[in-house]
Amino acid sequence: MKKINTFALALPFIILVSAIVFGEGAIILALLSIMVTGFLQFSIGVKMLVDNPKDKNLITYIAFVALFFILWFFNAFIGYTDIITYSIIPIPFLLAIYISVIIYKKIDHINF
């Protein structure tokens, strides 16, 4: 789990650095790879939650992921407001940090 998370976090940065050689296309790929990072981290979080369903940190993580998508859906399709737009921008970054801390703290205690 640690290796997958480390790879997922490093992937956008590696692709972004390659923009020096490959140009603008690498920047677009780096932005798209952020979605891959989020998917991998969410998958890891769900697997850890299935293995340990009473873990409050993992329940909190899943709840904030759900809140992010609910706010995003509401803002995009029901009623756009700038306040919601600006408030959801940092949420994926904070979720990535939060699940990484959970993974690196818990992985020593759980044998996958």
Side-chain angles (χ1 to χ4, degrees), residues 8-18 30 33:
L9 291 173
L11 182 64
F13 295 110
I14 292 168
I15 295 172
L16 186 61
V17 168
S18 72
S33 70

Side-chain angles (χ1 to χ4, degrees), residues 66-78:
L67 177 66
F68 169 75
F69 282 106
I70 289 167
L71 287 173
W72 188 15
F73 179 82
F74 177 82
N75 202 37
F77 298 110
I78 297 172

Side-chain angles (χ1 to χ4, degrees), residues 1-2 4-6 9 37 41-42 44-45 48 55-58 60-61 92-110 112:
M1 293 292 171
K2 270 186 181 180
I4 294 172
N5 188 57
T6 302
L9 291 173
T37 298
Q41 287 189 323
F42 178 73
I44 292 169
M48 290 176 73
D55 188 327
K56 292 183 192 239
N57 290 324
L58 293 170
T60 302
Y61 171 73
F93 177 70
L94 296 172
L95 286 171
I97 292 171
Y98 188 62
I99 192 66
S100 294
V101 169
I102 293 170
I103 290 168
Y104 288 105
K105 284 175 75 175
K106 299 234 182 252
I107 205 71
D108 297 330
H109 305 295
I110 301 172
F112 286 102

Side-chain angles (χ1 to χ4, degrees), residues 80-90:
Y80 177 84
T81 62
D82 287 336
I83 293 171
I84 293 175
T85 301
Y86 295 132
S87 65
I88 66 172
I89 288 173

